Amino acid sequence: MKKSWWAVVAVLASTVPAAGCGGGPGPEESGAGRDRPVVEPAGSIVPDEEGEDVPEATLAVCEECQRRLAARQYASAVNSMDRHAARASTQAAPIPSKRAVALLCAGVARTNLGLYREALANLAEADELHGHLPAQTRPQLLEMLYHAELISATAVGDGARKEAALEGLQATGRNVGPYVKEACGVAPDPAAVRTCGTSPPPGTTQPGTTQPGTTQPGTPLPGTTQPGNPTPVPQTPGPGEETGGEVTEPPGNGDGSQPETGDGGPETDDGPPPDTDAPEPDET
């Protein structure tokens, strides 16, 4: 009985799917269960068959890459993409676009598995061939390339590659803030990474800050007036400066009193008026 019991257990164990209860990829396949960022396509990386002259072999690799990354089959993607990259360069008629996509996809899959140094090797070669990526989906492919490179370079402490990846992401028009925050999660020492400190990463601005040469909202310039206050804002001289113009004293008598003006002007003393009743002189 004991022997038959263990035989039943062995049969039951062999019927359990190796990839997990749901039949999907297991932890080793997908990299699940690890606290690391995941790089996925930001959009479709498969170009339309019409309107662009893309080799069918390249289209097939784009479709497989999209499918495996979406299913988080990273280990399978690495094995398959390595084969595609090798065949693309060794076959009778090399297909550089196929090799570029395969290397890029392999680098992304290795990044998601935490194989950062191997991923950087794939991504560096894919970046050299980026001109052969399908033009229609090149922005999505480059975003994925630089995203994976930023994470892998930050994880291994390669500052030069990290900065190059940031510049690549900025060139695609992306806001690099979320990418930097994500990459800092895998940095061995985040405090030692410039972009993981308190200062914002290049190409981003913080709310409430102004660029050099600008003024804060609500701050009037010297010589201007504020709404509801017609009095100009005085312009105060800086240290060592003197105000221009001559200083004039108000008219007065020197003792602070004002001159008396009567009915519109100062009084004058011209002497007594002539006497009109005096006798006229004798002509004889």
Side-chain angles (χ1 to χ4, degrees), residues 175-199:
N175 177 17
V176 300
Y179 293 88
V180 171
K181 183 178 179 180
E182 182 184 58
C184 290
V186 298
D189 183 9
V193 181
R194 181 179 63 85
T195 51
C196 295
T198 57
S199 60

Side-chain angles (χ1 to χ4, degrees), residues 41-87:
S44 176
I45 61 173
V46 183
D48 296 335
E49 296 184 11
E50 299 179 0
E52 186 178 5
D53 187 15
V54 179
E56 292 184 4
T58 303
L59 285 173
V61 173
C62 289
E63 292 172 353
E64 182 182 351
C65 178
Q66 179 108 28
R67 183 179 68 255
R68 290 191 182 278
L69 292 181
R72 301 202 169 190
Q73 299 173 349
Y74 304 137
S76 299
V78 166
N79 295 331
S80 179
M81 293 299 146
D82 284 349
R83 289 194 300 269
H84 286 309
R87 292 172 184 170

Side-chain angles (χ1 to χ4, degrees), residues 182-283:
E182 182 184 58
C184 290
V186 298
D189 183 9
V193 181
R194 181 179 63 85
T195 51
C196 295
T198 57
S199 60
T204 59
T205 57
Q206 290 180 320
T209 59
T210 55
Q211 297 295 331
T214 62
T215 57
Q216 291 281 357
T219 303
L221 295 174
T224 62
T225 59
Q226 290 178 307
N229 182 14
T231 305
V233 178
Q235 183 174 2
T236 56
E241 297 181 357
E242 296 181 359
T243 56
E246 297 180 356
V247 178
T248 59
E249 296 182 357
N253 297 329
D255 56 357
S257 62
Q258 296 294 331
E260 298 179 358
T261 59
D263 50 349
E267 295 182 356
T268 57
D269 187 9
D270 295 334
D275 186 5
T276 57
D277 295 334
E280 294 181 359
D282 189 3
E283 295 179 356

